[in-house]
Amino acid sequence: MLANELLRLEGSSLLGAPCSYCAEEPGLFRCLECHPERLSCKTCVLASHAALPFHRVEKWENKHFTALPLVDIEAVYHLGHDNTRCPHWKAPDPPAPPTCTPNPDAPPDDRPKKRPRHPQTSAADGHIVRIAHTNGFHHVRIGYCRCPNAPDHATQLLRARIFPGTLSKPRTAYTIALLSYFLTSTWESNLTAYDYAKILCRLTHSYCPEDIKSGYDNFRVVLRVWRDLQFRMRCGAFFDIPARLPPPYTNTMAVLCPGCPHPGINYDPAVKHRKIHCDTLTLAGDGNFRAVQKDKISDPADVHLRPGAAYFREDKAYHEYLATVGDEHEVPHLQPSTCTGLKAGDVLREGRYKNTKVSGVFSVICARHGFFRPDATVDLQKGERYSHTDYALAGALAGTQSIRRIVFIYDINCQYIRHVHERFKERFPHLTHIEFIEWLIPKMHLVGHKEDCQYLYSLNFTPGSGRVDGEQTERNWCGLNGAATSTREMNSAHRHEVMEDKQNEMNFKKMINLRTLCDIQRLAILLTQISCLCQRRPFKGRWVLL
């Protein structure tokens, strides 16, 4: 039954019947997007698709339906004037008279040959633009508005929700629906631009997709611009919202954690809460060695569209800092580890980073809610070194001098803090509150440390820690590692932009899910209260957003 019905879809029960709309001409056309069961004539197809240029139309000929682009039946997609012809369009020019009269008595080879007539792109015929939509590529004849005050072609396309491939005389464009769909697919399933371009070719012609030009080079440039525009729109940069924030958030485009204290935004240093956790900023740092970048020839013209304005620290200043610090092997106070074999921070493990320009990333996040901190992610060179951690932590601590209590959770804090005060005093003298930070180790990693560390750096023995486990960085890597297979092949600036876009989306999803988290915590506290009542014992807990 299923096979019969699928075969029935290849034809139509209305073949030979008149048009389903006007009933005057035979119905030979069908639209797969509108009503595939209805057959219509050419006139009705053009009338019904005046504002639907991206529908797939088929024509019945030679006992089967064949794909027929709308441009082949003289369809024109008019911009402005409610999708009707602009009144300032001119009539098509009449064909030019022949320059000479052929002699009928002359031999066939001596007669002047007629010059082939090329498709016109005048005001009467419109301009053919190759537009990519969610169902493939389309050649659409665009009828631009010709009014004296009409905007340029790129602006008219944008107002029709079509993103031009170029700003001057666009011949390639992409619908905003396609760009939004791709960006969402990238966030959720790590779809790459190359794979999506091949999908569009397959949707355009399922039997010969290799004959369809994907336009991948222009597509990835447009996607990069589109990603940056969406990034700026989300943070309100076009309304100067970041400029209204206090330092150091004046120029940031990152999604901030609404649950953490931000001086000047949701935290007043003059007000001291009775509960210590309300005045605590809990940070966690960790390295990710899957987010590598291959050592290959990079494009010298590749530039970051928002350098230092999101999650990665500004690349030029970072490399100047690394050049100033020098090789970690040459640091005089570098001493052997006093704890059990810790791999993080072992600068001698360089064999695994062959043929890589960047061996991973180090990020500082909010340990309670899992938000990536702005300006607190750096690239790693040949391992996870203290100099990398210092620079990322310095970015995360910017503007936190007035916060009452700061906790930093790191896998190897027992070794990292041995000379951290000296390093910060030398490299970041403005961060004087480094001496008051509490240093702890994540709960799962703490088991691998020696017994003394398990008491000195335990979250369980630290007041105000709640149920924070410090392992949120590992969970964040699960969401970020999906893009590692594509970002490892990119240039440095493009790689940072894609990773920042992924980090921003993860922060945004956490922000909109905080309400659900609060509801879960309220339910948990209610069940605990019920349990205490059933067991006839007092309830001593309190609801706290962790």
Side-chain angles (χ1 to χ4, degrees), residues 475-488:
R475 304 183 187 99
N476 282 10
W477 296 148
C478 294
L480 199 61
N481 285 342
T485 55
S486 57
T487 56
R488 69 181 59 176

Side-chain angles (χ1 to χ4, degrees), residues 528-529 531-540:
T528 305
Q529 290 176 339
S531 176
C532 292
L533 291 175
C534 294
Q535 299 177 16
R536 296 183 178 180
R537 59 186 178 88
F539 175 72
K540 298 181 180 181

Side-chain angles (χ1 to χ4, degrees), residues 233-279:
M233 290 179 66
R234 172 172 287 180
C235 73
F238 298 113
F239 300 99
D240 295 330
I241 292 180
R244 302 176 186 177
L245 299 177
Y249 310 112
T250 305
N251 297 319
T252 185
M253 300 182 186
V255 175
L256 302 179
C257 175
C260 288
H262 300 284
I265 299 178
N266 62 352
Y267 178 78
D268 187 1
V271 179
K272 292 187 178 181
H273 294 83
R274 181 175 59 86
K275 304 171 184 178
I276 186 62
H277 63 270
C278 296
D279 293 336

Side-chain angles (χ1 to χ4, degrees), residues 8-20 26-30 36-40 58-65:
R8 181 179 177 276
L9 297 179
E10 299 297 325
S12 177
S13 58
L14 301 178
L15 290 173
C19 173
S20 301
L28 300 176
F29 301 86
R30 72 174 183 180
E37 288 298 323
R38 294 186 178 182
L39 298 183
S40 58
E58 293 181 341
K59 181 181 180 181
W60 180 263
E61 57 183 2
N62 298 329
K63 299 182 179 181
H64 68 281
F65 281 104

Side-chain angles (χ1 to χ4, degrees), residues 83 115 122 218 239 257 275 293 399-400 419 447 540:
N83 297 119
R115 203 176 278 181
S122 64
N218 181 259
F239 300 99
C257 175
K275 304 171 184 178
Q293 181 189 15
T400 62
H419 300 282
V447 180
K540 298 181 180 181

